Amino acid sequence: AQKVTQAQTEISVVEKEDVTLDCVYETRDTTYYLFWYKQPPSGELVFLIRRNSFDEQNEISGRYSWNFQKSTSSFNFTITASQVVDSAVYFCALVENRDDKIIFGKGTRLHILP
Amino acid sequence: EAQVTQNPRYLITVTGKKLTVTCSQNMNHEYMSWYRQDPGLGLRQIYYSMNVEVTDKGDVPEGYKVSRKEKRNFPLILESPSPNQTSLYFCASSPGGGISSNQPQHFGDGTRLSIL
C-alpha cells in the first residue's frame, strides 16, 4: 500500500541555517507523483512542488531545493538560509498513477528562530 | 479572484444533527476533494471527485457523504455527526487530469467543526 513517512515531527533551527525536511515514500506503482505543500501559521495550504516518478532531476527554486532519489524512495526538501517566514508545517504527499487518491505524510513542523 | 470557498468556516454542533459543509470553486476545475486535518495525523483524504457525477472514496470516507451535481460545487455531508469527526476540514480543487496533473491543488481556507 502507498505510504508517506515524514519522520521529523518538529524541527527548530536558527535563522540563516540550512534545514532539510525528509520524506520517504512507499509505492508499488512505477508511475507516481510526489508533492510538497506548506501550511503557514495562518492555516492555508500552499502548493510548493510536484514531481513525477520519471523525472529525477533535482529542482531549485530560490532558497528551496528538492532532492528526489528513487533508489532510496525519498523526496527531501531543503531550505537554504532559512528565514522566520519559512516557519510552517510542511507536508509531503504521494499520488499513484492507478488512481487520484492522495496520501499525505503527517507533516513536519518547522520553527525558524530569529 | 480564483478561489475555493468553504462554508461555514466554524461550526459547533451536537452529535447526530445532520450538517453540510459547502465547497465551491470558480476556476472550472474538474477535480475536487475533501480532507480532514487532525493533530499528529496530518491530512487525510475523505472523498474526491474527478468530474461531475463521479466520486470516489479516499482514505477515511466512513461517516461522510459527498455529491457532485455541478462542476463548481462539492458539498461534504455528515448525516449523523459524532465527536470523532471533530476536525479541521479542507476542500481543494485542481484542473482536469486529476491531482496528478502538473497544476497545483487550490485549497479552501478550512472549516473547523466541533461535534459535541
Side-chain angles (χ1 to χ4, degrees):
Chain A
Q2 60 196 130
K3 186 178 177 183
V4 176
T5 301
Q6 294 181 256
Q8 304 149 308
T9 305
E10 202 157 345
I11 301 174
S12 294
V13 301
V14 177
E15 199 173 19
K16 297 197 176 91
E17 287 185 356
D18 299 347
V19 58
T20 295
L21 309 182
D22 297 333
C23 173
V24 174
Y25 60 92
E26 293 178 27
T27 177
R28 291 169 296 180
D29 267 4
T30 55
T31 303
Y32 51 89
Y33 304 85
L34 295 163
F35 299 79
W36 276 95
Y37 286 87
K38 173 182 180 180
Q39 186 177 41
S42 49
E44 73 271 23
L45 282 151
V46 179
F47 166 84
L48 294 178
I49 190 170
R50 167 198 179 266
R51 175 67 74 225
N52 73 57
S53 54
F54 298 111
D55 182 2
E56 284 194 75
Q57 279 194 339
N58 291 333
E59 173 120 2
I60 297 175
S61 176
R63 296 183 296 106
Y64 294 174
S65 62
W66 290 269
N67 183 299
F68 177 30
Q69 291 198 337
K70 287 176 75 170
S71 60
T72 55
S73 297
S74 65
F75 187 42
N76 296 338
F77 173 31
T78 296
I79 302 175
T80 303
S82 60
Q83 299 177 2
V84 172
V85 293
D86 296 325
S87 296
V89 180
Y90 290 87
F91 292 99
C92 181
L94 165 70
V95 174
E96 295 177 328
N97 197 46
R98 67 182 71 193
D99 60 32
D100 281 302
K101 185 189 298 188
I102 183 167
I103 299 294
F104 282 86
K106 293 182 180 179
T108 296
R109 185 176 296 276
L110 177 64
H111 300 279
I112 307 298
L113 308 172
Chain B
E1 180 192 350
Q3 59 186 2
V4 177
T5 304
Q6 296 178 226
N7 280 296
R9 292 292 313 281
Y10 305 91
L11 178 63
I12 301 173
T13 187
V14 296
T15 298
K17 187 176 179 183
K18 181 180 178 180
L19 68 91
T20 299
V21 184
T22 63
C23 175
S24 180
Q25 51 94 3
N26 62 1
M27 296 167 280
N28 202 36
H29 285 171
E30 292 180 5
Y31 184 96
M32 297 186 75
S33 182
W34 276 103
Y35 304 88
R36 61 177 290 175
Q37 183 176 11
D38 301 289
L41 296 177
L43 281 157
R44 293 179 293 169
Q45 193 172 35
I46 304 170
Y47 269 96
Y48 62 97
S49 169
M50 300 287 288
N51 214 326
V52 176
E53 301 293 358
V54 179
T55 62
D56 281 293
K57 294 178 181 179
D59 256 5
V60 289
E62 295 77 21
Y64 304 95
K65 284 175 59 176
V66 293
S67 69
R68 189 87 182 275
K69 293 185 170 61
E70 309 162 279
K71 201 172 190 178
R72 65 182 293 126
N73 296 322
F74 191 47
L76 179 70
I77 303 156
L78 285 71
E79 293 270 3
S80 183
S82 62
N84 64 14
Q85 293 177 298
T86 292
S87 187
L88 177 59
Y89 291 84
F90 286 97
C91 180
S93 72
S94 65
I99 202 167
S100 53
S101 69
N102 198 22
Q103 302 297 321
Q105 257 198 117
H106 297 254
F107 283 85
D109 288 336
T111 294
R112 191 167 289 282
L113 282 184
S114 293
I115 316 294
L116 305 176

